Every structure is written in structure tokens, then in C-alpha cells.
Amino acid sequence: MALITFVGFPSCGKTTRAAELSAQLALALPPHLSLVTVSDESLNIAPSVYDDSRAEKPARGALFTAIQRLMAQDTVLIVDAPNYIKGFRYQLYCAAREMKLRVCTVYVVATPELCREWNASRTDGRAYKPETLENLLVRFEEPSSMVRWDSPLFTIPWTEEVPVTQIAEALLTGSVKPPNSGTLAAAKAPSDALHVLEQTAIAMVSAIMDAQAATQGSGGLVTLSLSALSIQITLPSRNITLSELQRLKRQFVTVHKKAITLGTTEKGAVDWAEESVANKFVTYLEENFKP
């Protein structure tokens, strides 16, 4: 349904505002929607992980994994975490697009002086070390309504209330951006695709050599018998050597191996059946045969 990403300086009041928003959205949203908040605290991620970048990276990975797991069409997910890196917010945006969720960003604004004061007065065991706090303040990347992954952006100064009505409207009636090639999961080839690709190409080479011998190199349209298939190909009016066919076969197999092992986002269904591979090979050969 929707993803709400909270952003702000450390100890700026994000958790307090996230709790306020959750309580008020629970009254404003339809009953069929569930409201879930995921945070560093809910995942037992200690503030001390931000003392060291080597510890912070896996912690951020754990947060991202939890967010992906909780995303659903019947869930409004609130992410109450530092989220101070714009690259991480972009990751969240892409994951939301893949799930066809609405998104919005809530920027809780407080001055660095207030953040230092509130952090020093915390008694919940979630305070940052002073040097860590200063480091995070310097590294903070402010959200912007001009970029798609931070939009729509709701900015809440520490003296103002959460605009629940506007946020609820964005979640219920805002546009859902469809996935694009950058967010679509790659289609996976079947487990025997590599075997079918290699064996079909080998059989095609053998069948072409047999057809060429039967026509004595006159070329033209010929029909190849391939297992239970009949495949037509137009041969050039010259003698095609086995080494030339082997070279073209290797090139064809190499190109399509990449599509199998890395996945593909081609439009439409990707067919790795023997007949489809044979027809692809025919097209490749006809385009690469020299007159």
C-alpha cells in the first residue's frame, strides 16, 4: 500500500513524531489496512553501530531486508530510522516501486543544538556518543522535494504538528509509479537453459553441414531436421566452412549465456525451449553470414 520514510538529524525527535503519526493514521486509514513501524530499536540495532562504518553497513542491510519483508499491498509501513543517506532512501524508493506502493518522506527538522541537548538528556539507552552524533550531523544528506525518491516531502519543524490529513491523502490517493527496467526483478531462465542452448546450437551446425552437402553449396532456403523440429534457414550461395559455423556458434552461445546467468529484463516472455533457441540461432546466422 504505502511506505513512509522518516528523515532527520539523530535525536531530532523522529521516533516521537513517528509514534504520533502512527497513532493518528490508525484512526484515519480504512480498517482493512494494517499499520506497521520498523525501526533500529525494533530490530535491536544499537546506536553504537553508527560509531563504525564497518558495523553500520550490515546494520543498514538488515534494516533494508526487514523493510522489504514487511512491504505489502495491505500495509502502511513507517520506517523510523536515521535514513540520512540519500542513496539508501533511493533504495527504499526502488523497492517500493517494485511492489507498486505509494511513497512519501517525512522530514523532522530540529537544530543541531537541540539535537545535542536532547541526545545528552536521553535515558532510554538509545543515546549516541557525542563524537558519533557530530559525525552523523556532518554526513546528513537533506531530502529534497525536487528528487523523485524524496517526494512527496512533508517537512515538520520541531515546533509544528504532524500534518496527518495531508499524509493520509498522499497515501490513499497519491499516484503509484509503475516499476521500470531499473526496478524490475530479472526474469530467471530454467535450470536446463544452458544445456538446451549448447546442444541445440551443436545440432544446428551439424544439420547445416548435412544440408550444404546435399545441395552442393548452392545456397538458398533449406529445411533442417532437428530432433522433432523442422527449421528453415537461408544459406548463402557459397561453401560454408565448419570453422566459420563453429565460430558463429561460439559467439551466439556466449552472448546468450550472459542472458541466462545474469537474467534479463527483455519485454515479453523469454523462451528457452529448443525451437525458440533454434530460431534465434537461425536469425543470428542469417545476419552474420557473409555473401
Side-chain angles (χ1 to χ4, degrees):
M1 168 61 184
L3 175 71
I4 304 173
T5 304
F6 270 77
V7 186
F9 285 155
S11 294
C12 69
K14 293 187 298 295
T15 298
T16 300
R17 292 310 182 93
E20 290 175 3
L21 178 62
S22 178
Q24 295 181 60
L25 279 180
L27 303 175
L29 294 176
H32 70 278
L33 295 177
S34 60
L35 193 60
V36 179
T37 298
V38 62
S39 65
D40 282 357
E41 186 173 5
S42 69
L43 298 175
N44 294 317
I45 297 174
S48 58
V49 301
Y50 297 97
D51 298 344
D52 182 358
S53 60
R54 289 173 297 180
E56 180 182 345
K57 188 173 182 180
R60 194 161 53 243
L63 174 64
F64 183 69
T65 300
I67 292 168
Q68 284 186 302
R69 186 173 60 250
L70 292 168
M71 284 180 175
Q73 288 297 322
D74 62 350
T75 301
V76 174
L77 181 60
I78 298 174
V79 182
D80 171 25
N83 303 325
Y84 68 95
I85 299 173
K86 63 183 178 182
F88 182 67
R89 299 198 297 270
Y90 178 69
Q91 277 186 288
L92 298 181
Y93 167 80
C94 289
R97 284 193 67 172
E98 187 174 340
M99 291 291 294
K100 299 181 180 180
L101 306 183
R102 293 185 176 92
V103 298
C104 76
T105 303
V106 179
Y107 180 21
V108 181
V109 180
T111 65
E113 292 74 19
L114 276 174
C115 293
R116 296 184 186 102
E117 179 184 334
W118 291 338
N119 185 68
S121 64
R122 295 187 76 153
T123 59
D124 57 358
R126 306 286 307 172
Y128 298 93
K129 292 181 179 178
E131 57 270 25
T132 301
L133 178 67
E134 295 302 323
N135 184 34
L136 292 174
L137 290 173
V138 170
R139 293 168 58 195
F140 180 76
E141 295 177 333
E142 186 174 347
S144 169
S145 60
M146 300 299 291
V147 297
R148 59 189 184 279
W149 58 87
D150 287 333
S151 299
L153 177 64
F154 297 92
T155 301
I156 309 173
W158 76 95
T159 55
E160 296 184 9
E161 296 183 353
V162 179
V164 179
T165 303
Q166 293 92 318
I167 292 175
E169 184 179 352
L171 300 182
L172 295 173
T173 64
S175 62
V176 179
K177 297 182 179 179
N180 57 23
S181 60
T183 60
L184 283 172
K188 299 297 182 183
S191 58
D192 64 342
L194 284 172
H195 176 76
V196 172
L197 174 66
E198 186 72 38
Q199 294 304 310
T200 302
I202 291 173
M204 286 283 291
V205 169
S206 178
I208 290 171
M209 293 303 295
D210 291 343
Q212 182 174 246
T215 60
Q216 298 182 348
S218 60
L221 184 66
V222 299
T223 300
L224 307 177
S225 296
L226 194 69
S227 182
L229 303 175
S230 293
I231 304 295
Q232 291 189 322
I233 184 173
T234 301
L235 300 177
S237 55
R238 63 173 177 81
N239 186 53
I240 305 171
T241 64
L242 178 60
S243 61
E244 180 183 357
L245 280 176
Q246 294 282 20
R247 175 177 55 80
L248 292 173
K249 178 192 77 78
R250 285 193 300 271
Q251 293 173 352
F252 174 80
V253 169
T254 298
V255 168
H256 286 79
K257 269 186 179 179
K258 292 180 180 179
I260 291 172
T261 56
L262 300 179
T264 178
T265 54
E266 292 179 17
K267 293 182 179 179
V270 179
D271 188 359
W272 294 103
E274 182 182 11
E275 183 176 6
S276 176
V277 172
N279 286 325
K280 287 180 181 179
F281 193 30
V282 165
T283 301
Y284 184 83
L285 290 174
E286 289 178 343
E287 290 176 350
N288 287 275
F289 278 144
K290 295 180 180 179

